Amino acid sequence: MYFTVQTATHHRLPLYKTVLCVTCALLLIVNGFSLFHNLQALRGAQVLLSQTARVADRLQYLNVLVLDAESSMRSYFLSGRDSYLGPTRTALADSETEFKELEKLLADNPSQLKNLTQLHTLVRRRLSIMSQAIDVYRDGGLAEIVKIAQLSDDRASMDEIRLLVVIMEQEQNETLNARSSMFYQEYQKAVWLGVSINALAILVLIMFYQLVRRSFAHRAAVEHALQSANENLESTVEQRTEQLSVLSRHLISISEEEKVRLSRELHDELGANLTSIGMDIGAVTKQLRDSHPELAEQLKRARATLVETVEMKRRIVENLRPSLLDNLGLCAAIESYCEEFSRLSQVRCDCSVAAEIEHAARTSGGDLAIALFRIVQESLTNIRKYAKASRVTVTLARNGDGLMLRIIDDGIGISSDNIVKPMSHGLLGMRERALLLGGSMNIRRGRNDMGTCIEVAIPLRGATSGAAAPIPALPPAISDVISSVLHPPADDQTPSSPPYSTHPHNPPSLSDQAQ
């Protein structure tokens, strides 16, 4: 399985979604500006209404000032007390103040300013007449006042003031009504505009919500489909991995069976044929030694070639199936191979195999013995090729309900990349052999974080944990054959094929076996 390391493509938001988002944002912004503008307009209309009401109030107050001044003057004429002249004395100053305020309030109304100027003139003239009447009363008494009242028309001047005040109030009321109507119109306009903008914004938000909901539903469907595809892919990968693992274990079993068959055929048939040829050559050589020494010498060289062929056959047989494994057991085969590895590679190899291992290997069948031997063989081959180690330790012992094989070296170690590299056929083969027996293999750093440590745990199902059975003594015939191989006879007879070979040979790697 291959995984990409490229960065994912950056997907942008679709154009219509972007347009909807921008439109919604613009509507909200316009609504905000509109609300602010309407608020300012309403505030201005409210100020105008307040201004109109203040004008009406001040006109009424101005009329009250004139009436109070006239009433206080009449009270003074009747009683002759100066205490009644208070409103009359302050009327002029108060009226001037009111006229100034009215000029400010009516600055934007020319017609009202004109009426105000006329009213100002009438009020000032009326207050001046009151002041003159008070002076006349002080000089001539009440009789003079009566004469002046008979000759002057005070009622007409007061009526004129009242009429002008009424006219100004009426105009101001009309202005107030117009401004109230304008205020109401502005208020209605602001309300309708705000409602329209909000309705449009809500409509856009609803559309955007529908799009987001549809997009979310589509995304959920895509995620569900992707999850289903991943689950199917994972199940397919697990199934194919299991199939490949089963196939690998089957190939390993078939390979070992084929090697056993070939080794037996080579040992039995080819060994017998070579032995027969050697015996015939030896017999002919004896007959031709005296009469034809040249032919005897050629036959001697042919016999030497035959001996080399026998040795080649022995190496091939040993590479296919170690005879020590079948004849002397797993412990002897591992110890012998470790000694041979140390002799060939000039690397110290310490081998420690527990005594009860042999019984456990025999009771578990031949697959356990050949699998452990091949793991040791492949490990030592890799150490000799790549580790550059000076010392190797091979330990095989019981561990709980199973066996623990530990191979430790002090070499350069193996990197994590090489452990998981797809082309590490040797390590994969070792792991598959362990899995074939229901065990596991772990590769880590060795002692003091140097070198490599390979640990293989193999469970023993149904094996007893009692004492190991003693290895039976070899038959005399096999002992004689082994002695004849280790100590060849002095005559010219070709020895028969021994059950195992101590001649140096290169142990095959698991990758070569797979090929």
Side-chain angles (χ1 to χ4, degrees):
M1 182 181 295
Y2 298 95
F3 298 93
T4 179
V5 296
Q6 298 178 356
T7 57
T9 306
H10 179 68
H11 298 283
R12 295 184 178 180
L13 194 67
L15 180 60
Y16 63 93
K17 293 184 180 180
T18 305
V19 171
L20 284 178
C21 291
V22 173
T23 303
C24 184
L26 289 177
L27 286 175
L28 294 177
I29 293 173
V30 171
N31 190 22
F33 279 107
S34 176
L35 291 176
F36 179 76
H37 175 71
N38 293 332
L39 182 62
Q40 295 296 328
L42 293 176
R43 185 177 298 174
Q46 183 67 27
V47 170
L48 292 176
L49 290 176
S50 176
Q51 180 180 349
T52 304
R54 289 172 60 190
V55 169
D57 292 340
R58 290 190 178 278
L59 287 174
Q60 290 292 337
Y61 182 65
L62 187 60
N63 191 20
V64 170
L65 285 178
V66 176
L67 292 176
D68 287 346
E70 187 174 359
S71 298
S72 64
M73 181 188 67
R74 290 176 181 175
S75 299
Y76 173 69
F77 289 160
L78 295 175
S79 63
R81 297 178 182 179
D82 292 339
S83 59
Y84 288 102
L85 293 176
T88 304
R89 292 172 179 174
T90 60
L92 182 60
D94 292 341
S95 63
E96 292 295 332
T97 302
E98 293 299 323
F99 277 116
K100 289 181 181 179
E101 293 294 330
L102 287 171
E103 287 179 358
K104 294 179 181 180
L105 294 174
L106 297 174
D108 57 344
N109 196 340
S111 61
Q112 286 288 76
L113 284 177
K114 185 178 180 180
N115 293 332
L116 183 62
T117 302
Q118 186 178 357
L119 179 63
H120 191 191
T121 303
L122 292 174
V123 170
R124 188 180 296 172
R125 185 175 63 182
R126 181 59 185 168
L127 292 178
S128 177
I129 292 172
M130 289 181 185
S131 179
Q132 293 176 3
I134 291 172
D135 292 339
V136 171
Y137 175 79
R138 288 177 179 175
D139 293 338
L142 186 58
E144 293 294 332
I145 295 300
V146 173
K147 291 180 181 180
I148 294 173
Q150 292 176 353
L151 297 175
S152 63
D153 191 3
D154 295 337
R155 184 176 180 82
S157 62
M158 286 299 298
D159 290 341
E160 189 176 359
I161 291 174
R162 291 191 189 95
L163 179 60
L164 190 57
V165 169
V166 170
I167 292 173
M168 292 185 68
E169 287 182 351
Q170 186 177 1
E171 291 184 0
Q172 200 65 30
N173 288 332
E174 292 177 357
T175 304
L176 179 62
N177 292 332
R179 289 179 176 176
S180 298
S181 177
M182 183 180 65
F183 175 80
Y184 182 71
Q185 292 178 359
E186 290 291 335
Y187 176 75
Q188 283 186 332
K189 186 187 297 183
V191 170
W192 283 109
L193 183 61
V195 170
S196 301
I197 294 177
N198 287 334
L200 188 58
I202 291 173
L203 180 61
V204 173
L205 286 176
I206 291 174
M207 294 175 62
F208 186 72
Y209 170 75
Q210 293 294 335
L211 290 176
V212 171
R213 182 179 178 183
R214 189 180 305 170
S215 176
F216 180 78
H218 177 69
R219 180 179 179 183
V222 171
E223 289 180 354
H224 179 70
L226 182 61
Q227 184 178 2
S228 300
N230 288 335
E231 291 177 356
N232 294 333
L233 182 61
E234 289 178 358
S235 62
T236 303
V237 169
E238 291 178 358
Q239 182 180 3
R240 296 306 173 94
T241 303
E242 182 65 23
Q243 291 176 355
L244 292 176
S245 180
V246 171
L247 178 60
S248 175
R249 298 167 194 174
H250 180 65
L251 292 177
I252 291 175
S253 300
I254 292 179
S255 175
E256 291 297 333
E257 293 176 1
E258 188 67 18
K259 289 177 182 179
V260 170
R261 186 184 65 81
L262 290 176
S263 65
R264 287 176 180 175
E265 290 181 358
L266 289 175
H267 182 272
D268 296 337
E269 298 180 7
L270 184 61
N273 293 335
L274 293 177
T275 302
S276 177
I277 293 172
M279 294 174 63
D280 293 339
I281 292 176
V284 174
T285 302
K286 284 184 178 181
Q287 295 177 4
L288 297 178
R289 182 177 299 174
D290 297 331
S291 60
H292 298 82
E294 296 85 0
L295 295 177
E297 188 65 24
Q298 290 180 359
L299 290 176
K300 187 175 181 181
R301 289 195 297 270
R303 183 179 179 278
T305 304
L306 180 61
V307 171
E308 293 178 358
T309 305
V310 172
E311 295 300 326
M312 183 185 301
K313 184 267 298 181
R314 291 173 182 174
R315 289 196 299 269
I316 294 174
V317 169
E318 289 297 319
N319 288 334
L320 291 175
R321 180 74 175 188
S323 57
L324 278 176
L325 193 63
D326 296 328
N327 298 322
L328 299 181
L330 176 63
C331 299
I334 292 178
E335 291 175 354
S336 175
Y337 191 83
C338 289
E339 293 177 0
E340 186 177 0
F341 165 80
S342 179
R343 180 174 58 83
L344 292 177
S345 62
Q346 300 299 319
V347 175
R348 178 181 175 183
C349 183
D350 299 330
C351 181
S352 175
V353 181
E356 65 270 15
I357 298 298
E358 190 65 39
H359 176 70
R362 291 187 178 184
T363 55
S364 298
D367 293 337
L368 176 62
I370 189 60
L372 292 176
F373 181 82
R374 294 300 187 192
I375 292 174
V376 173
Q377 187 181 43
E378 180 66 27
S379 300
L380 294 181
T381 301
N382 291 335
I383 291 173
R384 186 178 61 179
K385 289 181 178 179
Y386 311 112
K388 300 179 180 179
S390 60
R391 182 176 181 181
V392 181
T393 301
V394 179
T395 304
L396 180 59
R398 290 294 297 266
N399 183 10
D401 295 333
L403 301 179
M404 174 60 71
L405 173 63
R406 187 177 287 109
I407 304 170
I408 306 174
D409 66 85
D410 58 354
I412 59 176
I414 182 172
S415 62
S416 57
D417 296 336
N418 291 330
I419 294 177
V420 299
K421 188 170 62 174
M423 299 305 293
S424 300
H425 300 296
L427 297 178
L428 291 177
M430 294 164 59
R431 195 180 303 275
E432 288 299 324
R433 288 184 182 275
L435 293 176
L436 182 62
L437 299 174
S440 62
M441 187 181 76
N442 181 31
I443 302 177
R444 57 180 178 85
R445 302 293 292 180
R447 300 186 185 96
N448 300 324
D449 200 24
M450 294 178 59
T452 305
C453 176
I454 299 177
E455 292 181 344
V456 179
I458 305 297
L460 295 178
R461 298 181 179 86
T464 59
S465 58
I471 300 176
L474 295 176
I478 297 178
S479 300
D480 296 339
V481 172
I482 295 176
S483 300
S484 63
V485 172
L486 296 178
H487 305 285
D491 57 3
D492 295 333
Q493 295 294 330
T494 303
S496 61
S497 300
Y500 69 94
S501 174
T502 58
H503 294 278
H505 63 276
N506 295 325
S509 63
L510 201 58
S511 59
D512 297 333
Q513 298 170 10
Q515 293 176 359

